[in-house]
Amino acid sequence: MTLKNSTPEYLKQCRHALHEQQTKSLAETENWSHVDKQQVHIDWDLLYKELAPLVDDSLPTSPQVQALMSRHYSIAVRFYSPTQEAYIGLGLFYQDNPDMKAYHNAFHPLMVDFLGEAIFVFAQRNL
């Protein structure tokens, strides 16, 4: 199964899980005050610069891409520990939110869709 062929109901569950977990985490951590947000942005920037050259010639399932998704997840858990559905929801959020889509696609025009699929694979295999 891939993100693209997931049912609308499952994708709705993933979006809901992300919203629920982020809302709870924000409330419990005073808007993620424990996170060094500047470092997070630096780390994601470096990661996306490594991922961008792989978008055209690699599959989201490739070991190299999945190693980068492991790093992506390790950055995400600085905020909270998302469940499988919430982590998939994060990839959907990148696609749904115009600012996030523009940010990610600035690294590569197909980044947000590729990243969503790679996150989906990582979550299915590891969470």
Side-chain angles (χ1 to χ4, degrees):
M1 180 170 11
T2 67
L3 185 63
K4 289 180 185 175
N5 68 15
S6 295
T7 67
E9 294 81 18
Y10 181 69
L11 299 180
K12 183 178 178 179
Q13 290 173 1
C14 293
R15 287 179 174 98
H16 180 73
L18 175 69
H19 175 74
E20 290 291 314
Q21 290 178 26
Q22 283 186 340
T23 299
K24 182 179 182 214
S25 177
L26 283 163
E28 291 175 350
T29 63
E30 297 180 27
N31 295 321
W32 295 323
S33 61
H34 66 286
V35 177
D36 183 344
K37 293 174 186 79
Q38 182 178 3
Q39 186 61 53
V40 164
H41 289 289
I42 291 168
D43 293 343
W44 265 327
D45 183 71
L46 293 171
L47 176 89
Y48 295 143
K49 286 177 180 172
E50 288 181 54
L51 183 60
L54 303 176
V55 171
D56 289 327
D57 299 321
S58 299
L59 294 173
T61 57
S62 77
Q64 189 175 11
V65 170
Q66 286 302 298
L68 291 172
M69 291 306 93
S70 180
R71 282 181 40 207
H72 184 275
Y73 182 77
S74 73
I75 297 168
V77 298
R78 294 179 199 172
F79 295 91
Y80 63 100
S81 296
T83 62
Q84 180 185 82
E85 288 182 343
Y87 191 54
I88 292 168
L90 181 61
L92 294 169
F93 174 70
Y94 294 162
Q95 294 175 0
D96 296 343
N97 181 285
D99 292 333
M100 293 303 283
K101 186 171 188 172
Y103 168 76
H104 288 89
N105 283 349
F107 291 93
H108 186 286
L110 301 175
M111 176 68 84
V112 77
D113 291 331
F114 186 85
L115 185 59
E117 288 294 343
I119 286 172
F120 182 86
V121 170
F122 180 86
Q124 292 288 315
R125 291 180 179 176
N126 299 290
L127 303 179

